[in-house]
């Protein structure tokens, strides 16, 4: 989602084998949060980093007559998203890189994107530009301080979600490389959004679909304490 990616990262994200979707439970919880705060009249919801459109497809039935526009940098992802969404367009998270005017969006979905960015500061500036004053930002990202990562660090194991290479997984559980460059704790994410000109309204948690089945009840229970949850869900408003 950024036009300043080094060539190696550009090739990585255009590879069809690289995952561009995340868990349905996270998408559903995020869509419920958004549906609760949007007014009854039709609104413009922009899914920035829409990937294959699966998050928008989950949100669609919950958002009624609100229009969802999908934007992504990857042409391959957009081809897949077009099978699930009526409106998709290519864009980049650089200054003016999103093909929308100022203050045009009532809400922005920003799902599992910020952890992939070289320049998250510039990305938040661009999201703020397209949002109306008081507009809603629904952001989700993996939690560096998830309950199991705290245990892994004590044991000297690389935290889940963190990656030291684009060629393979080293030093942590899992086998799939997805290109994570930035990771946040709940505190860091709140402070970052506040500094970028957003008012954090709600911080919630969501489970991670990659947690081994025997541990999933624990992972779901951890959602009650967002700083321990696998996935951080934030509702913020543009100041």
């Amino acid at each position: 989602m950024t036009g300043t990616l080094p060539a190696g990262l550009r090739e990585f994200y255009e590879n069809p084998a690289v995952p561009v979707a995340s868990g349905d439970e996270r998408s559903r919880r995020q869509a419920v949060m958004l549906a609760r705060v949007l007014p009854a009249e039709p609104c413009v919801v922009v899914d920035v980093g829409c990937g294959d459109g699966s998050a928008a497809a989950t949100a669609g039935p919950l958002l009624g007559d609100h229009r969802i526009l999908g934007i992504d940098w990857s042409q391959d992802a957009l081809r897949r998203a077009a099978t699930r969404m009526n409106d998709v367009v290519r864009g980049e998270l650089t200054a003016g890189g999103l093909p929308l005017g100022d203050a045009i969006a009532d809400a922005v979905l920003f799902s599992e994107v910020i952890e992939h960015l070289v320049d998250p500061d510039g990305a938040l500036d661009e999201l703020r530009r397209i949002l109306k004053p008081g507009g809603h930002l629904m952001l989700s990202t993996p939690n560096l301080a998830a309950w199991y990562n705290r245990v892994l660090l004590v044991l000297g194991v690389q935290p889940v979600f963190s990656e030291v290479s684009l060629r393979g997984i080293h030093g942590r559980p899992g086998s799939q490389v997805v290109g994570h460059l930035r990771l946040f704790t709940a505190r860091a994410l709140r402070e970052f959004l506040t500094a970028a000109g957003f008012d954090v309204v709600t911080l919630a948690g969501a489970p991670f679909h990659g947690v081994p089945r025997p541990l999933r009840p624990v992972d779901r229970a951890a959602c009650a304490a967002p700083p321990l949850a696998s996935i951080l869900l934030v509702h913020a408003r543009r100041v």
Side-chain angles (χ1 to χ4, degrees):
M1 283 301 301
T2 174
T4 58
L5 285 176
L9 278 175
R10 283 179 174 271
E11 294 172 1
F12 176 82
Y13 286 122
E14 283 289 6
N15 184 346
V18 173
V20 291
S22 57
D24 290 341
E25 179 66 15
R26 188 273 307 157
S27 298
R28 188 190 65 79
R29 292 187 183 212
Q30 192 173 42
V32 168
M33 288 173 66
L34 179 56
R36 287 173 177 166
V37 299
L38 287 179
E41 61 269 19
C43 294
V44 175
V45 178
V46 183
D47 187 355
V48 178
C50 64
D52 65 0
S54 57
T58 299
L62 296 169
L63 297 183
D65 294 331
H66 302 306
R67 179 192 176 194
I68 306 178
L69 170 66
I71 302 179
D72 206 284
W73 174 80
S74 167
Q75 294 285 16
D76 178 74
L78 288 174
R79 282 192 291 270
R80 286 183 269 174
T83 66
R84 294 186 170 101
M85 306 176 65
N86 293 327
D87 301 305
V88 296
V89 64
R90 189 178 186 277
E92 300 182 355
L93 279 170
T94 53
L98 296 178
L100 298 171
D102 295 352
I104 197 171
D106 298 284
V108 166
L109 284 171
F110 201 48
S111 307
E112 316 297 301
V113 176
I114 198 168
E115 64 270 17
H116 298 273
L117 300 180
V118 173
D119 181 15
D121 301 281
L124 266 291
D125 289 344
E126 183 65 357
L127 297 185
R128 194 171 184 276
R129 179 186 70 79
I130 68 169
L131 272 169
K132 296 176 181 178
H136 305 279
L137 173 65
M138 296 292 177
L139 182 152
S140 67
T141 191
N143 183 9
L144 174 61
W147 62 275
Y148 41 80
N149 279 344
R150 298 178 186 224
V151 175
L152 291 175
L153 276 171
V154 170
L155 298 175
V157 178
Q158 186 82 8
V160 175
F161 307 124
S162 65
E163 296 178 343
V164 299
S165 170
L166 294 179
R167 298 177 180 176
I169 295 298
H170 304 288
R172 72 157 173 84
S175 60
Q176 194 171 54
V177 180
V178 294
H180 288 174
L181 305 178
R182 309 274 183 176
L183 289 177
F184 296 81
T185 64
R187 178 183 296 182
L189 185 58
R190 183 185 291 274
E191 291 182 5
F192 175 67
L193 289 171
T194 300
F198 291 89
D199 178 26
V200 176
V201 179
T202 304
L203 177 68
F208 174 46
H209 61 278
V211 169
R213 188 173 298 276
L215 296 177
R216 289 180 185 176
V218 179
D219 193 44
R220 295 185 71 86
C223 294
L228 298 176
S230 287
I231 306 295
L232 299 172
L233 302 178
V234 177
H235 167 215
R237 301 192 73 167
R238 178 193 162 182
V239 177

